[in-house]
Amino acid sequence: MLTPRVVVCPILLMLLGAAAPAWAGAPGPRVPRERKLVVRAEEATTLHLLRVAPGTVTTVVFNEDILPASVDTKALAPLFGQLKVYPGVMVLRPAVAMPETSRPLITARFAGEDVPRQVSFLLVTDPKEVDTVVEVSRHALSAEDLGEELSLLRGRCAAAEAGLATLRAQCAQSGLAGAVLTGALGPEPVSVERPPKAVAAQGLEVMGIAFLYRHIQTRLMAFSLRNSPDAAEWVPGMGRLIQLGPDEKEGQVIHREIPVRMLEERLAPGASGQVVLEWHLPEGLDPQARYVLEVWNQEGDRSVRWKGLSP
């Protein structure tokens, strides 16, 4: 006997209504992708992302044979419903999504002695895409090729070493003699000035006398800075030079980033150290103008400043 339509329709509506919430909450289908990957000798340690998804087969095809025994299938078995490795193909079908906290790694070694010797994949599960086919091309270098590259590399190293030898010779020169030999100090006179008293942020103190050296357009400020025992550590940042206007208000910024140099990397609470800043004044500045020099820490919240410096 046929079931009356009036009975069938309510049953269908009930089934559709029960299934609707599951459809609404389910993620959208992942877009399948096919990729080509070239593995080069200079990228032997690079980890290549391989996007896999539960229930989806990912096939990795190699242009040169790999060693199937090099892939640790036992360690990966709990994550996969299917994991087959052949000399030229690797087939993966995950049973679960890849864990994000400790992403699995597959390393496959190539047959033969050419480089690169292996390729490594970092397995991830992307909510939007999945790699269905990945073609891996090994850009191998033979022993002869490596020999040629090594010869070129040795030539570059020799040229770099020659340049470093000149720099080492310059760095070895210290004191006034070194300044003359390197050209930093010429026949022009060097003057020394004691700048006005510094204004320091709470927890900082300029100890003793600061000195401002002048040589042609070069200026150098040297002072000893002490960090208070109850203050946070002071990490050197940047200095800033600002020109004062006729009304003593700060105006044009001459230098925004003057390196703050110290022998120490930082001043711990209670520690002190020598601080040096060097900058060059541009041509054409007003010889009668006065300047503000600010010396900031790395965070930019604690500074030492001098106001009224002459050029």
Side-chain angles (χ1 to χ4, degrees), residues 37-48 116 118-120:
L37 179 65
V38 179
V39 183
R40 303 181 183 276
E42 62 272 18
E43 301 171 350
T45 59
T46 301
L47 294 179
H48 303 277
Q118 63 186 36
V119 58
S120 296

Side-chain angles (χ1 to χ4, degrees), residues 150-222:
L150 184 59
S151 298
L152 291 173
L153 184 59
R154 283 173 178 162
R156 293 172 187 168
C157 289
E161 186 61 33
L164 287 174
T166 303
L167 292 176
R168 289 192 189 101
Q170 293 178 351
C171 292
Q173 307 300 333
S174 60
L176 290 176
V180 172
L181 290 173
T182 58
L185 183 62
E188 292 80 3
V190 177
S191 63
V192 183
E193 174 186 317
R194 296 181 179 179
K197 185 176 178 60
V199 177
Q202 185 176 1
L204 294 176
E205 178 188 359
V206 175
M207 303 173 62
I209 301 172
F211 293 96
L212 177 61
Y213 297 85
R214 294 188 181 85
H215 179 63
I216 315 177
Q217 296 299 114
T218 300
R219 301 293 181 266
L220 186 144
M221 175 71 85

Side-chain angles (χ1 to χ4, degrees), residues 94-158:
V96 295
M98 296 297 104
E100 295 187 2
T101 53
S102 56
R103 289 177 171 174
L105 184 69
I106 289 183
T107 298
R109 291 180 63 85
F110 289 104
E113 297 299 324
D114 295 347
V115 292
R117 296 296 310 276
Q118 63 186 36
V119 58
S120 296
F121 299 98
L122 193 64
L123 302 180
V124 298
T125 298
D126 190 303
K128 296 181 180 179
E129 297 181 334
V130 58
D131 294 324
T132 51
V133 178
V134 178
E135 298 181 23
V136 179
S137 297
R138 180 193 189 194
H139 191 269
L141 292 177
S142 64
E144 292 76 13
D145 295 330
L146 289 175
E148 292 180 6
E149 286 205 355
L150 184 59
S151 298
L152 291 173
L153 184 59
R154 283 173 178 162
R156 293 172 187 168
C157 289

